[in-house]
Amino acid sequence: MKTTGVMIPTLLGRISKKPVTVLYPFEKLEVPPGFRGKIKFHLDKCIGCGMCAKDCVSAACIMIEKDDKKRPIFDMDKCTFCGQCEESCPKDAIEMTEEYELAHLNRGEVIVE
Amino acid sequence: MAEVRIPIGPQHPALKEPERFMITVEGETVVDADIKIGHIHRGIEKLAETKTYVQNQYLTERICGICSFTHTTNFCQVTEYVLGTDPPPRGLYLRTLVNELERIHSHLLWLGVAGHEMGFDTLFMYSWDDREIVQDILEHLTGNRVNYAYNCVGGVRRDITDAQKQMIIRGMDALLERMDYYVKVALNEKTILKRTQGVGILTTEDAKRLCAVGPRLRASNVKVDVRKDDPYAAYGELPFEVITSDTLDVHAQVVVRALETVESIKMCKYMMQNLPAGEIRVKVPKKVGPGEATSHTEAPRGEDIHHLRANGTDKPERLKVRAPTLANILNVQHTLKGANIADIPLVVAGIDPCMGCMDRVLIIDKDRETSKVWEKEELRKYSIEWYEGEPHR
Amino acid sequence: MTTQEMVQKLTGSLGAMVDSVESPKERRVYINTKRENLLGVVKHLKEQYGAYHISTITSFDNGDELELLYHVFIDTTFMSIRVKLPKSDPTVNTITPILPGAVLYEREISELMGVKVKGHPDMRLLLLPENWGNKGFPLRKDWVDPRRPEPPATEGGDA
């Protein structure tokens, strides 16, 4: 039957349900396990091989020399969160955490060392 | 009646992405349409030549935000063809699974956008709500909602757990019910029928002549689907129907996409029940080639092609990408002729355009020299030069 | 029809118009031809094999010659017609009258790779900005971004 208002039953059925969206800063959705968020770097495990920097597509991960040791730093505002560095690291020194709130007033605060 | 030319875009409230239409109208009827694209070129083909194969997995993902997985599938396949690697069956099934989940979310997104274009925002709200079911599954499965980073040359990067399997089956059951309802809505709701029936008709001959692809071609009653004609990944083993429609208009596209989503949901359930055991990826060398290969896949919007020439180093010699929207631009131009001005957004939305996908080749967004503020005299000089010189080569 | 049968049939029916027909993989066929025979091959594929869908045209810069691959999809076979042009005279005849779908792809190769397409109905710029002028053909290997005086440093691999 060709008619208007095919959607009205669904529309009325929605009244008793809670809204689909949440009020973000006050309520937060649960992040699933395995989510790729802000990088956590374990300096003690790093051997300075540079595999992470070699495979990084966006040059967010670059090698620097500090205290006579080669090590990467991660610029999270360039990061595409693909997780390739985590995969490339032979010593599991890089870990993707579930932290996703990366807005800062100062650019230096988003650099993970 | 005199002809009037109306420019629409690059920035326009009726368009979601930047492209420019020059529409010539006589009264309310469009008599000619000209399309200028290229406003969001990012130079990905050129850039791919400077990146390694590992990096290109993530670069090709950025060609499109909605059908990102089909581009990585294409890139990984084309590299595997050159290498002569066969990914393990479980890896292929998981790759196909994400491809189909992506098709479901893309088609639901389109249904919402089409509803919005025809002024039926209720449909928009509900279809996007149901799309969240797929998005949640994708987020659990791959770790992200849109750019999944799930594919790799030689297979996929993450295995699936039993809990995720159950989540997919439950989600697909819920979606199947919702899709049956949307099919009913698409066939019966007067708002949809009045706006879409008889609008944007593309005959079978024209669709073939202008090389249309994807749901637009199948809505013109041509039974072509890369998944069926040239099976890749695990599609050769899956049962599914190629949906066509013989009404040729925008309504045919609504129906084709809705029924295709139903097919995809059934495929996802089938894959979860028949998932082979074993490895998910094989290790591949970093240096590829020399050699060349072509891969094409059925993206949600149609046939998507990657052609790779490798030279034995860890970087491609040349990577050619043809996204489906570029193939569909010609038939939009054709179907716009004779349409009403009010139908333009719907005809354009009909092919599910993805300009970001299509405009991928070049580096240029704005010439530095011309972006400064001009004095009136300079502008006059420029305009004279522009017309006297040969800017179009 | 298997791909090998298709290759034999094509070799027979195209005759002297092509240099060779080869198939590296199932459902992939490469047809190597010369540019003066291109129109004949495309016309033959359309009339004898019912080709109507041109998927795209891939262009390569091989140093002193340009190479074009016309990808035509027939039923289940993905055919690529290979044509080579010298860089000093990169002219090729348009195939738009035979396969109208090629119109945008020919514009694309003409502005990005500098292939001169003879007889094309509409040669305005498609992807590049209107004031592009003579800034070169971006997909050629020797192209340098005019806004950047030196090319970006690349490590290893491609020269």
Side-chain angles (χ1 to χ4, degrees):
Chain A
M1 192 179 66
K2 310 222 183 314
T3 170
T4 46
V6 179
M7 293 198 100
I8 285 177
T10 327
L11 209 63
L12 293 175
R14 279 282 170 179
I15 294 174
S16 57
K17 288 181 186 159
K18 68 177 174 86
V20 178
T21 50
V22 296
L23 290 168
Y24 163 60
F26 309 108
E27 267 177 84
K28 284 173 189 172
L29 289 174
E30 209 182 312
V31 175
F35 180 82
R36 296 187 305 268
K38 189 178 178 180
I39 284 170
K40 195 174 174 189
F41 177 60
H42 304 279
L43 183 58
D44 48 325
K45 290 185 190 169
C46 180
I47 53 168
C49 66
M51 292 299 284
C52 45
K54 195 163 177 268
D55 283 346
C56 182
V57 65
S58 57
C61 170
I62 47 169
M63 297 301 286
I64 57 158
E65 207 154 315
K66 199 175 178 185
D67 305 333
D68 288 337
K69 193 188 171 192
K70 274 193 142 187
R71 51 156 300 179
I73 54 164
F74 303 89
D75 199 346
M76 296 317 287
D77 57 357
K78 284 185 189 165
C79 183
T80 59
F81 300 94
C82 62
Q84 179 63 39
C85 50
E86 186 190 26
E87 195 184 301
S88 296
C89 183
K91 295 285 170 193
D92 294 328
I94 302 165
E95 193 189 326
M96 304 289 276
T97 64
E98 289 169 10
E99 189 185 338
Y100 58 89
E101 285 164 320
L102 294 164
H104 291 281
L105 289 172
N106 183 355
R107 218 174 163 181
E109 284 175 54
V110 290
I111 293 176
V112 175
E113 293 193 26
Chain B
M1 202 182 290
E3 288 183 355
V4 179
R5 281 158 70 84
I6 308 175
I8 301 180
Q11 303 297 329
H12 192 270
L15 304 172
K16 304 283 173 293
E17 286 174 284
E19 71 261 63
R20 194 186 71 203
F21 295 91
M22 189 56 91
I23 310 277
T24 311
V25 292
E26 243 182 52
E28 274 292 309
T29 316
V30 178
V31 290
D32 196 14
D34 188 19
I35 300 181
K36 164 82 182 158
I37 55 174
H39 299 280
I40 35 176
H41 274 203
R42 289 161 294 163
I44 288 182
E45 281 182 24
K46 189 88 177 168
L47 188 59
E49 293 170 12
T50 65
K51 302 266 178 204
T52 65
Y53 287 91
V54 176
Q55 293 172 331
N56 273 330
Q57 285 169 26
Y58 308 107
L59 176 67
T60 48
E61 191 147 55
R62 265 92 197 153
I63 292 173
C64 181
I66 304 294
C67 43
S68 63
F69 198 76
T70 200
H71 284 285
T72 52
T73 306
N74 245 334
F75 178 73
C76 293
Q77 272 183 18
V78 89
T79 317
E80 284 155 11
Y81 290 165
V82 176
L83 283 168
T85 318
D86 282 321
R90 191 182 175 87
L92 287 180
Y93 262 72
L94 289 176
R95 195 181 267 180
T96 317
L97 174 76
V98 179
N99 256 314
E100 285 312 307
L101 288 172
E102 187 181 75
R103 190 180 319 278
I104 297 168
H105 105 69
S106 175
H107 280 0
L108 280 172
L109 179 135
W110 180 83
L111 191 63
V113 172
H116 174 71
E117 298 289 1
M118 62 183 89
F120 190 15
D121 275 332
T122 321
L123 180 64
F124 163 63
M125 302 265 181
Y126 288 148
S127 65
W128 279 43
D129 175 21
D130 291 324
R131 176 171 167 262
E132 285 305 306
I133 300 174
V134 195
Q135 293 286 317
D136 284 347
I137 291 173
L138 283 167
E139 194 176 5
H140 274 84
L141 191 60
T142 67
N144 213 334
R145 276 167 60 94
V146 278
N147 288 326
Y148 320 111
Y150 191 61
N151 242 331
C152 66
V153 180
V156 292
R157 291 173 67 198
R158 286 186 192 194
D159 206 351
I160 188 170
T161 62
D162 278 335
Q164 287 167 344
K165 244 182 186 174
Q166 292 310 317
M167 184 190 180
I168 294 175
I169 292 176
R170 254 183 290 125
M172 290 301 120
D173 282 336
L175 261 182
L176 200 56
E177 205 176 290
R178 294 297 297 164
M179 278 321 295
D180 284 343
Y181 172 70
Y182 286 126
V183 172
K184 202 179 98 191
V185 169
L187 292 174
N188 294 315
E189 169 67 51
K190 235 181 196 165
T191 320
I192 296 182
L193 296 176
K194 281 207 156 172
R195 282 303 306 271
T196 57
Q197 277 187 333
V199 172
I201 290 181
L202 183 69
T203 61
T204 308
E205 293 74 46
D206 283 339
K208 283 182 165 182
R209 187 171 60 85
L210 298 170
C211 299
V213 292
R216 172 69 268 191
L217 184 61
R218 293 191 283 277
S220 294
N221 206 10
V222 185
K223 207 169 182 170
V224 170
D225 190 318
V226 182
R227 294 175 292 169
K228 208 63 160 184
D229 298 335
D230 187 8
Y232 56 95
Y235 284 110
E237 301 164 22
L238 301 180
F240 70 99
E241 290 289 316
V242 178
I243 310 288
T244 56
S245 169
D246 55 4
T247 54
L248 316 174
D249 48 11
V250 177
H251 186 248
Q253 297 188 58
V254 179
V255 175
V256 164
R257 283 202 176 84
L259 292 176
E260 252 179 48
T261 316
V262 175
E263 286 297 316
S264 293
I265 293 169
K266 288 181 185 160
M267 279 156 86
C268 287
K269 269 186 80 178
Y270 177 87
M271 276 185 274
M272 283 301 95
Q273 284 149 0
N274 297 287
L275 191 65
E279 291 291 305
I280 53 162
R281 67 188 285 186
V282 286
K283 240 185 127 47
V284 292
K286 288 208 163 178
K287 290 187 175 170
V288 179
E292 66 179 322
T294 317
S295 159
H296 59 163
T297 58
E298 186 73 23
R301 290 159 180 77
E303 186 198 28
D304 173 33
I305 298 166
H306 283 217
H307 184 93
L308 172 78
R309 176 172 287 181
N311 55 5
T313 62
D314 59 350
K315 289 169 186 155
E317 167 88 14
R318 172 96 166 85
L319 178 71
K320 163 80 189 172
V321 181
R322 205 292 317 273
T325 303
L326 186 60
N328 270 335
I329 277 293
L330 272 184
N331 69 59
V332 169
Q333 210 172 344
H334 177 78
T335 41
L336 277 179
K337 290 172 194 166
N340 282 331
I341 296 175
D343 289 332
I344 294 172
L346 203 55
V347 171
V348 176
I351 62 157
D352 197 358
C354 182
M355 299 302 160
C357 231
M358 175 176 70
D359 287 357
R360 80 236 92 76
V361 198
L362 254 217
I363 297 117
I364 313 309
D365 44 299
K366 195 184 251 182
D367 200 323
R368 290 274 162 80
E369 293 155 15
T370 59
S371 62
K372 65 180 181 186
V373 181
W374 271 350
E375 300 294 331
K376 200 180 162 202
E377 179 57 26
E378 273 178 285
L379 185 65
R380 192 188 68 85
K381 221 171 105 190
Y382 172 76
S383 65
I384 293 168
E385 274 171 13
W386 196 89
Y387 277 107
E388 280 180 352
E390 269 198 312
H392 306 306
R393 251 185 285 158
Chain C
M1 190 161 40
T2 66
T3 314
Q4 282 312 319
E5 284 167 9
M6 187 86 171
V7 170
Q8 278 170 8
K9 199 176 162 198
L10 279 167
T11 319
S13 65
L14 285 166
M17 275 197 290
V18 294
D19 298 337
S20 64
V21 181
E22 54 196 55
S23 164
K25 199 174 171 300
E26 197 62 4
R27 297 190 297 270
R28 298 281 187 280
V29 172
Y30 286 86
I31 301 172
N32 299 314
T33 185
K34 292 194 178 60
R35 63 172 156 178
E36 48 272 25
N37 292 329
L38 174 70
L39 285 184
V41 173
V42 175
K43 207 174 264 174
H44 184 87
L45 287 179
K46 188 184 184 183
E47 283 161 8
Q48 303 296 317
Y49 296 85
Y52 62 86
H53 185 87
I54 176 152
S55 292
T56 190
I57 306 172
T58 305
S59 51
F60 300 94
D61 180 2
N62 297 347
D64 33 329
E65 62 178 11
L66 300 178
E67 187 179 332
L68 299 177
L69 276 180
Y70 291 76
H71 301 290
V72 181
F73 190 36
I74 304 174
D75 290 337
T76 61
T77 315
F78 198 81
M79 304 212 185
S80 306
I81 308 166
R82 194 192 303 275
V83 180
K84 288 184 179 170
L85 321 166
K87 226 177 197 173
S88 51
D89 175 33
T91 332
V92 71
N93 284 321
T94 176
I95 63 160
T96 302
I98 309 167
L99 296 173
V103 60
L104 291 181
Y105 310 132
E106 285 187 338
R107 280 168 75 176
E108 189 184 337
I109 56 168
S110 120
E111 60 191 72
L112 298 183
M113 200 49 110
V115 176
K116 291 201 177 73
V117 186
K118 211 159 61 188
H120 193 281
D122 179 10
M123 267 284 106
R124 287 170 306 153
L125 288 177
L126 173 73
L127 300 162
L128 296 173
E130 284 154 351
N131 55 0
W132 183 250
N134 293 322
K135 295 200 186 80
F137 307 110
L139 275 181
R140 287 202 179 173
K141 291 279 180 195
D142 53 4
W143 185 76
V144 182
D145 190 341
R147 295 168 304 178
R148 202 188 323 218
E150 279 173 31
T154 53
E155 37 178 301
D158 69 1

